[in-house]
Amino acid sequence: MEQLLAQIESIQKEIAATVAKTTAEVEAYRIKYLGTKGLVKQIMGEMKNVPVEQKKEFGQILNAFKIVAEEKLEVLLAALGEQDENNATIDTTLPGDPISVGTRHPLNLVRNQMVSIFKRLGFAVAEGPEVEDDWHNFGAMNLPADHPARDMQDTFYVQEATENNSAWLLRTHTSSVQARVMETQKPPIRVICPGRVYRNETISARAHCFFHQVEGLYIDENVSFADLKQTLYFFVQEMFGKEVKVRFRPSYFPFTEPSAEMDISCQICAGKGCNICKHTGWVEILGSGMVHPNVLKNFGIDPEKYTGFAFGMGVERITQLKYQVNDLRLYSQNDLRFLQQFKSV
Ligand code: DAH
């Protein structure tokens, strides 16, 4: 018996002195002392040789011994866990991987800039449907029934006119939104209408079957052509910088009288002459004019009391001049190499 007690004591000393720094060392401890063939089991096996009257006392000693061995294992495991945390291979103080966020489409960027410039002049934003009826797209805008712009060549018809129903089409210009606004609002009216328009064109670098316009409409008492010029001059200066030059050329639109197209000095070659301005130094950016009295009358606005100006311009054209995008197809090809260039704009 004495011998067994001495053995237990020496094993307990050994246990107390055990250090284990790695998982393997802790596992070796477990196997040595607590495994199926471990020392604890072996000592327990000695119980059968203990005389009956000492069994109780000895049982308690053995139990305490087992608990000592088990508690040591827990201590070793806990120390290992702490050590893992300290030696963690992830440095939580490092900045994270950047999350790649998308970019705004260049046409949206430019449209937003255009909208914000006109908002500063007091224009509100109005929108209308892309699928329009004949009246809002053409009739109300003073386009006579036989006007060439109504030709099937230019217009995508969704439904032909029947006896009782007007034709339905994809709007060919955002001037249709003018009609929608005048239908529901009384002067003073001051709106811009950004939106997508459609024309039956063969797709090439210079033409597309859909593109974007920003339409403007201002109706009030005493609105003059001088107001039109100054508004548009302010717009291009804000858009392209103070050095930009403008010129107006007389033109024709059914919905305005008089009508004018506005050119700006070429932003690509600074007026020296290049492919974009066809070596003239000028590029056309918009159509405009004083709202035709017939258009006002169509909406019960008295042309003797009210006058107004209107203009319409292409967002693609402004974007081309601002960012030198020379192929219209790039806007709808979804090529990331193109789109990502507008990240920092
Ligand atoms: N609607 C014309 C177009 O699609 C642009 C335009 C010209 C709009 C003159 C206007 C305007 O409001 O007054 O080409």
Side-chain angles (χ1 to χ4, degrees):
M1 239 10 65
E2 299 291 290
Q3 204 192 335
L4 202 53
L5 282 174
Q7 207 182 338
I8 289 174
E9 205 176 314
S10 100
I11 294 174
Q12 276 187 350
K13 274 190 192 147
E14 227 179 271
I15 287 177
T18 303
V19 279
K21 290 211 181 87
T22 63
T23 317
E25 283 169 5
V26 175
E27 181 60 5
Y29 168 87
R30 191 191 63 78
I31 292 168
K32 181 173 177 188
Y33 297 100
L34 295 162
T36 30
K37 290 178 186 156
L39 287 169
V40 172
K41 274 265 160 65
Q42 274 177 38
I43 302 285
M44 291 290 205
E46 297 296 326
M47 252 318 244
K48 58 182 184 298
N49 305 325
V50 175
V52 184
E53 53 303 349
Q54 287 182 4
K55 266 202 189 331
K56 192 177 170 204
E57 185 196 352
F58 212 76
Q60 284 170 352
I61 293 170
L62 280 182
N63 262 339
F65 168 60
K66 193 180 165 203
I67 287 168
V68 166
E70 283 172 348
E71 280 179 356
K72 177 73 180 188
L73 179 65
E74 268 164 39
V75 169
L76 291 178
L77 282 171
L80 206 60
E82 252 172 51
Q83 188 180 313
D84 271 359
E85 254 167 50
N86 295 338
N87 298 348
T89 47
I90 299 165
D91 181 350
T92 51
T93 64
L94 282 176
D97 287 339
I99 297 166
S100 134
V101 287
T103 56
R104 282 205 195 286
H105 192 280
L107 291 176
N108 280 339
L109 279 175
V110 170
R111 191 208 40 203
N112 291 350
Q113 285 173 33
M114 294 168 84
V115 167
S116 98
I117 294 169
F118 283 109
K119 269 192 175 168
R120 274 185 275 146
L121 290 174
F123 284 79
V125 173
E127 284 182 334
E130 290 180 15
V131 180
E132 260 304 0
D133 57 59
D134 194 273
W135 167 251
H136 290 96
N137 195 77
F138 292 134
M141 299 316 290
N142 202 32
L143 271 115
D146 53 359
H147 194 282
R150 287 182 168 226
D151 197 300
M152 291 288 280
Q153 295 248 318
D154 296 323
T155 309
F156 286 116
Y157 281 90
V158 174
Q159 200 169 72
E160 276 182 49
T162 61
E163 221 172 286
N164 305 319
N165 282 307
S166 96
W168 286 85
L169 45 91
L170 299 182
R171 68 181 177 195
T172 58
H173 55 183
T174 42
S175 303
S176 59
V177 189
Q178 280 193 28
R180 297 251 161 217
V181 170
M182 282 187 270
E183 213 166 46
T184 53
Q185 293 178 32
K186 295 252 159 301
I189 291 171
R190 193 157 39 176
V191 289
I192 49 161
C193 324
R196 181 174 291 175
V197 301
Y198 301 83
R199 285 185 202 176
N200 195 352
E201 303 257 10
T202 307
I203 296 171
S204 71
R206 290 160 167 266
H208 212 293
C209 59
F210 67 83
F211 52 99
H212 301 80
Q213 291 187 330
V214 169
E215 184 85 11
L217 176 68
Y218 181 23
I219 303 173
D220 202 349
E221 290 177 40
N222 301 319
V223 175
S224 72
F225 201 90
D227 296 322
L228 161 67
K229 283 174 81 173
Q230 197 52 41
T231 302
L232 294 175
Y233 188 42
F234 174 82
F235 165 72
V236 291
Q237 283 195 323
E238 289 297 298
M239 198 72 198
F240 296 107
K242 296 282 177 219
E243 317 75 41
V244 65
K245 292 192 199 69
V246 297
R247 74 176 185 189
F248 284 81
R249 284 177 291 102
S251 183
Y252 170 78
F253 298 103
F255 28 89
T256 45
E257 182 60 36
S259 304
E261 280 172 324
M262 190 176 92
D263 298 344
I264 60 168
S265 45
C266 182
Q267 298 300 296
I268 310 287
C269 64
K272 287 192 202 79
C274 67
N275 278 345
I276 302 300
C277 61
K278 301 194 190 86
H279 301 280
T280 63
W282 295 96
V283 280
E284 183 216 313
I285 63 158
L286 58 84
S288 64
M290 301 306 291
V291 180
H292 198 290
N294 287 352
V295 174
L296 296 176
K297 278 189 227 156
N298 281 337
F299 298 96
I301 298 170
D302 181 0
E304 297 299 325
K305 187 171 180 207
Y306 293 105
T307 49
F309 68 71
F311 57 87
M313 60 184 130
V315 181
E316 278 80 353
R317 170 45 71 93
I318 305 289
T319 312
Q320 174 192 38
L321 294 173
K322 212 163 157 72
Y323 299 118
Q324 315 207 355
V325 179
N326 288 332
D327 188 332
L328 278 175
R329 292 167 294 194
L330 285 167
Y331 294 123
S332 49
Q333 278 166 342
N334 259 344
D335 186 334
L336 286 178
R337 291 169 302 179
F338 170 68
L339 297 173
Q340 282 175 340
Q341 293 179 62
F342 298 89
K343 221 168 209 164
S344 54
V345 176

